[in-house]
């Protein structure tokens, strides 16, 4: 496995499952307990802000004290020890990659420990509950403070940077994601078009499995450290 110089890693909820955070589409996942239309769209926030804030307030509490697992640690080790460039793009809103030490990191679906003012677009670190009566520290307006996360129908963050990295990568590795949500589900096609080797590491075959040149299935805490060892040994 020698010769990879520009690596893009895409991660999803399966990476954080063994840290105790729920995935979305597994049978006991978040979407088995909540309807997407009720909690993860701008229309839901406009219709019932309290329900949406309660949903994310509970998840913010869950993310505050959670620890990264062996898979997050292995990806941080890859970034620090690999001689080439490693960019990690995560769909996860939890802070586990950065807690493990990843630095070249994009949270394309936002961060649960940040707030976004729907009025002025200001983004700010936020560890406590969000409520409908809060004022924005930047523009002073009330009622617009929401979690800094990307809902259905909204544009994920830093897409230009991500597409530029995909167009230039020689290895693309997708980890712990079901491949249901676009644009992330389309990244493997972009990497294939760039001539990159493409690898899926997941508990089970994802929706996009046919697009990957290689796949390893199993628990992230087992298969990710082993795969990183293989990459670093060259
Ligand atoms: C393990 C494991 C273990 C478990 N070890 N593995 C029709 C066609 C195409 C697209 C669309 C369409 N209609 C609408 C769209 C667009 C829409 C979309 O994709 N809809 C689909 C449902 C079809 N997308 C959007 O609206 C996005 N914006 C957009 O497209 O803007 C326009 C645009 C166009 C072109 C370029 C750029 C932009 C926004 C999507 C926002 C998604 N938001 C959420 C919520 C974020 C906040 C929050 O966390 O609450 O993001 S939804 C949810 O799904 C969350 C996740 O990041 C995302 C992906 O989920 P993920 O990570 O894949 O989790 P799971 O649960 O699905 O899978 C986990 C996997 O792990 C499973 O496979 C398990 O087996 C595995 N696993 N344990 C290893 N221990």
């Amino acid at each position: 496995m020698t010769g990879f110089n520009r690596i893009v890693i895409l991660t999803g909820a399966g990476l954080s499952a063994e840290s105790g955070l729920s995935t979305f589409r597994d049978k006991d996942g978040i979407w088995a307990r909540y309807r997407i239309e009720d909690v993860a769209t701008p229309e839901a926030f406009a219709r019932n802000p309290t329900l949406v804030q309660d949903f994310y307030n509970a998840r913010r509490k869950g993310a505050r004290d959670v620890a990264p697992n062996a898979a997050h640690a292995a990806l941080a080790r890859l970034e620090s020890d690999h001689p080439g460039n490693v960019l990690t793009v995560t769909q996860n809103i939890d802070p586990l990659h950065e807690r493990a030490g990843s630095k070249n990191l994009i949270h394309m679906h936002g961060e649960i420990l940040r707030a976004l003012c729907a009025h002025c677009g200001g983004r700010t670190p936020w560890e406590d509950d969000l409520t409908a009566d809060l004022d924005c520290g930047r523009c002073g307006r009330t009622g617009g403070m929401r979690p800094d996360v990307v809902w259905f129908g909204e544009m994920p963050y830093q897409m230009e940077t991500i597409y530029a990295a995909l167009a230039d990568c020689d290895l693309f590795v997708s980890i712990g994601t079901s491949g249901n949500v676009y644009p992330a589900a389309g990244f493997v096609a972009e990497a294939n078009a760039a001539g990159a080797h493409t690898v899926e590491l997941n508990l089970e075959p994802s929706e996009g499995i046919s697009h990957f040149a290689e796949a390893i299935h199993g628990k992230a805490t087992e298969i990710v450290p082993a795969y990183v060892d293989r990459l670093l040994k060259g």
Side-chain angles (χ1 to χ4, degrees):
M1 271 206 297
T2 52
F4 295 121
N5 289 315
R6 296 170 309 281
I7 302 175
V8 177
I9 311 277
L10 171 70
T11 68
L15 191 77
S16 298
E18 291 165 80
S19 290
L21 297 179
S22 289
T23 60
F24 291 92
R25 295 170 185 81
D26 291 311
K27 70 174 185 319
D28 54 350
I30 291 172
W31 298 150
R33 287 173 270 137
Y34 294 87
R35 282 170 13 117
I36 289 175
E37 305 85 321
D38 291 339
V39 293
T41 67
E43 294 77 16
F45 184 60
R47 203 169 45 239
N48 192 342
T50 305
L51 176 69
V52 176
Q53 299 286 28
D54 288 350
F55 172 69
Y56 284 100
N57 286 341
R59 290 180 59 204
R60 189 176 301 103
K61 281 196 183 81
R64 258 191 326 229
D65 302 322
V66 77
N69 62 48
H72 298 98
L75 293 177
R77 185 161 56 89
L78 178 66
E79 184 188 317
S80 65
D81 294 0
H82 191 271
N85 188 64
V86 179
L87 170 66
T88 301
V89 178
T90 188
Q91 298 169 87
N92 299 340
I93 62 175
D94 67 57
L96 295 183
H97 279 296
E98 48 272 52
R99 282 187 187 162
S102 288
K103 295 194 167 42
N104 196 18
L105 172 69
I106 293 177
H107 275 281
M108 67 176 288
H109 289 166
E111 297 173 64
I112 188 66
L113 297 181
R114 296 182 77 88
L116 165 70
C117 174
H119 299 307
C120 72
R123 299 167 73 189
T124 180
W126 203 277
E127 297 234 333
D128 302 320
D129 283 358
L130 281 168
T131 51
D133 57 355
L134 285 166
D135 299 333
C136 171
R138 198 162 99 168
C139 71
R141 292 173 69 184
T142 308
M145 296 299 281
R146 53 164 278 189
D148 186 11
V149 302
V150 177
W151 290 322
F152 284 101
E154 296 184 320
M155 184 64 83
Y157 291 131
Q158 298 194 52
M159 290 310 301
E160 269 186 37
T161 306
I162 295 170
Y163 281 129
L166 289 167
D168 191 41
C169 73
D170 53 13
L171 175 64
F172 172 76
V173 189
S174 172
I175 308 175
T177 177
S178 63
N180 275 282
V181 176
Y182 287 83
F187 290 175
V188 62
E190 301 286 327
N192 279 325
H197 182 58
T198 53
V199 184
E200 165 169 295
L201 305 179
N202 203 45
L203 194 59
E204 59 194 8
S206 74
E207 287 288 311
I209 184 67
S210 62
H211 297 285
F212 289 90
E214 182 184 353
I216 301 168
H217 295 127
K219 288 182 171 181
T221 55
E222 294 167 8
I223 60 177
V224 177
Y227 185 75
V228 166
D229 284 345
R230 257 173 72 191
L231 274 180
L232 289 176
K233 279 185 190 131

